[in-house]
């Protein structure tokens, strides 16, 4: 995932995400109130929301080898 | 033998002279008859007309230089109106305030090169009623159109006042976008997908937390001044699709989830 954070100089900051490096054609962009620090604090939540709302586009995690002990 | 009541005419020597009594002038008159010789050698007496003027014929005389011939005179006559204007009428016209050449030139300069013909104007006239334009043929252009005051005929409710709604702000014209948004103590834009839906008509937000309250508002939103959304509350906001208006959300406490729908 690549991130671009841009200060809009109006009290807001833009966060742009791109998942192309993970083989997923998905982009996201949002604005938060505050500066770059606030944007970095919000970034994990934005990323989590993207992965949750577009879960169908991300590959499923590989299952661990071996059987499951009951 | 004839007797005359008048004394015979005599000269200064009292000699009698030749004469004929004329009743018109009541005198003895000495009269002469003058003859002229024609080109053929025939002597012809000179004659007077009814007014006593000597008759003279110019039939064989050449016209003076520059005189109009009969043909020319007839051509001029043909160009003269049957009833030409009298001098009085021409004086009346002469008294009018006619435009000067300068004024006419100025008017000409203001006339477009190809003004509409009478046929074109007549065609336009048929498109107009006696009280003005009655037909609107072309559809209104896309985007906002101000129509002004619109009256609805209530003569037959349900019929004359029927309005067919093609689309409205409440109509779904494209697949909605749904998602869950994490609302934190940092005010951030709230939307359902990866970014704000283009031409968004409606935004529906539901606070899915069981205990925490969240707030929504503009980018100046804080945990104190936003519009509060209690746990489980839903807010619906309508937009002008042509105008993008960002909505921010913030949690009053820890991070919480909000379900979002954009239409």
């Amino acid at each position: 995932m690549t991130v671009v954070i841009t200060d809009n100089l109006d009290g807001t900051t833009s966060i742009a995400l791109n998942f192309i490096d993970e083989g997923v054609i998905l982009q996201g962009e949002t604005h938060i109130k505050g500066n770059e620090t606030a944007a970095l604090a919000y970034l994990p939540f934005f990323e989590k929301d993207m992965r949750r709302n577009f879960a169908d586009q991300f590959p499923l995690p590989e299952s661990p080898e071996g059987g499951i002990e009951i | 033998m004839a007797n005359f009541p008048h004394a015979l005419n005599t000269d200064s020597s009292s000699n009698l002279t030749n004469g004929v009594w004329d009743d018109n002038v009541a005198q003895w008159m000495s009269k002469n008859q003058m003859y002229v010789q024609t080109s053929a050698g025939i002597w012809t007496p000179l004659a007077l007309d009814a007014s006593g003027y000597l008759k003279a014929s110019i039939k064989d005389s050449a016209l003076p230089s520059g005189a109009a011939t009969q043909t020319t005179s007839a051509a001029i006559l043909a160009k003269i109106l049957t009833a030409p204007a009298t001098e009085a009428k021409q004086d009346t016209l002469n008294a009018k305030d006619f435009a000067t050449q300068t004024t006419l030139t100025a008017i000409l300069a203001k006339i477009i090169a190809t003004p509409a013909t009478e046929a074109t104007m007549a065609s336009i006239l048929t498109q107009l009623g006696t009280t003005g334009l009655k037909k609107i043929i072309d559809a209104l252009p896309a985007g906002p159109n101000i129509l002004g005051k619109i009256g609805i005929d209530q003569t037959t409710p349900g019929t004359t006042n029927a309005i067919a709604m093609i689309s409205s702000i409440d109509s779904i014209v494209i697949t909605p976008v749904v998602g869950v948004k994490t609302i934190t103590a940092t005010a951030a834009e709230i939307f359902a997908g990866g970014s704000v839906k283009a031409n968004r008509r409606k935004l529906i937000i539901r606070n899915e937390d069981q205990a925490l309250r969240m707030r929504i508002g503009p980018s100046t939103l804080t945990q104190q001044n936003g519009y509060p959304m209690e746990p489980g509350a839903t807010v619906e906001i309508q937009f002008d699709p042509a105008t993008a208006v960002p909505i921010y959300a913030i949690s009053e406490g820890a991070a919480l989830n909000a379900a979002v729908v954009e239409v």
Side-chain angles (χ1 to χ4, degrees):
Chain A
M1 179 188 74
T2 58
V3 181
V4 176
I5 296 177
T6 306
D7 188 341
N8 297 317
L9 304 177
D10 61 353
T12 66
T13 301
S14 299
I15 303 171
L17 302 183
N18 195 327
F19 297 90
I20 190 65
D21 59 335
E22 299 179 24
V24 178
I25 302 174
L26 177 64
Q27 297 174 344
E29 183 178 8
T30 189
H31 298 82
I32 60 99
K33 177 189 177 185
N35 54 18
E36 184 177 350
T37 302
L40 289 171
Y42 180 73
L43 177 58
F45 298 100
F46 186 35
E47 178 190 358
K48 186 189 72 174
D49 288 344
M50 290 291 289
R51 293 184 185 277
R52 174 171 54 181
N53 291 325
F54 297 94
D56 58 310
Q57 297 189 31
F58 288 91
L60 294 173
E62 294 182 1
S63 301
E65 293 182 359
I68 299 174
E69 188 176 340
I70 300 176
Chain B
M1 184 175 183
N3 293 321
F4 289 90
H6 310 291
L8 292 177
N9 195 27
T10 59
D11 60 12
S12 58
S13 301
S14 300
N15 295 321
L16 291 174
T17 62
N18 293 331
V20 177
W21 179 261
D22 192 312
D23 289 333
N24 293 326
V25 296
Q27 288 185 10
W28 288 97
M29 302 294 292
S30 179
K31 299 183 178 179
N32 295 307
Q33 176 62 63
M34 298 184 68
Y35 286 78
V36 293
Q37 191 176 33
T38 68
S39 59
I42 299 172
W43 289 95
T44 303
L46 291 178
L48 300 178
D49 61 13
S51 301
Y53 296 111
L54 182 65
K55 289 183 178 178
S57 174
I58 58 172
K59 183 177 180 182
D60 298 329
S61 301
L63 289 174
S65 177
T69 64
Q70 168 62 14
T71 302
T72 302
S73 298
I76 295 172
L77 179 62
K79 293 182 183 299
I80 298 175
L81 296 172
T82 304
T86 63
E87 183 178 2
K89 289 183 178 178
Q90 295 190 53
D91 287 343
T92 301
L93 290 174
N94 192 38
K96 301 295 184 183
D97 181 20
F98 290 103
T100 64
Q101 171 67 14
T102 301
T103 303
L104 291 172
T105 301
I107 294 172
L108 180 61
K110 293 181 183 299
I111 299 175
I112 60 177
T114 54
T117 63
E118 182 179 0
T120 301
M121 299 298 287
S123 175
I124 294 173
L125 186 61
T126 60
Q127 303 297 320
L128 301 173
T130 55
T131 57
L133 190 63
K134 289 183 176 179
K135 295 180 179 179
I136 298 176
I137 299 174
D138 295 332
L140 291 172
N145 291 281
I146 299 174
L147 298 179
K149 184 178 181 180
I150 298 175
I152 299 175
D153 183 4
Q154 296 285 351
T155 305
T156 308
T159 301
T160 60
N161 62 353
I163 297 176
M165 186 70 74
I166 297 174
S167 178
S168 75
I169 200 75
D170 293 323
S171 303
I172 295 178
V173 295
I174 194 171
T175 305
V177 181
V178 297
V180 177
K181 201 74 174 176
T182 304
I183 310 300
T184 70
T186 298
E189 266 187 308
I190 184 169
F191 45 80
S195 59
V196 175
K197 183 180 180 297
N199 305 118
R200 181 169 60 182
R201 293 165 172 248
K202 186 183 293 183
L203 174 65
I204 303 173
I205 306 168
R206 172 181 164 80
N207 181 357
E208 293 196 311
D209 197 88
Q210 300 295 317
L212 295 174
R213 186 163 64 179
M214 59 177 281
R215 291 177 180 267
I216 59 173
S219 63
T220 55
L221 176 68
T222 70
Q223 291 175 313
Q224 288 77 39
N225 68 5
Y227 181 78
M229 291 183 63
E230 302 294 337
T234 298
V235 168
E236 183 175 317
I237 304 172
Q238 290 185 334
F239 297 88
D240 176 355
T243 306
V245 179
I247 301 295
Y248 285 69
I250 191 171
S251 169
E252 288 191 356
L256 59 86
N257 285 336
V260 184
V261 178
E262 286 181 293
V263 176

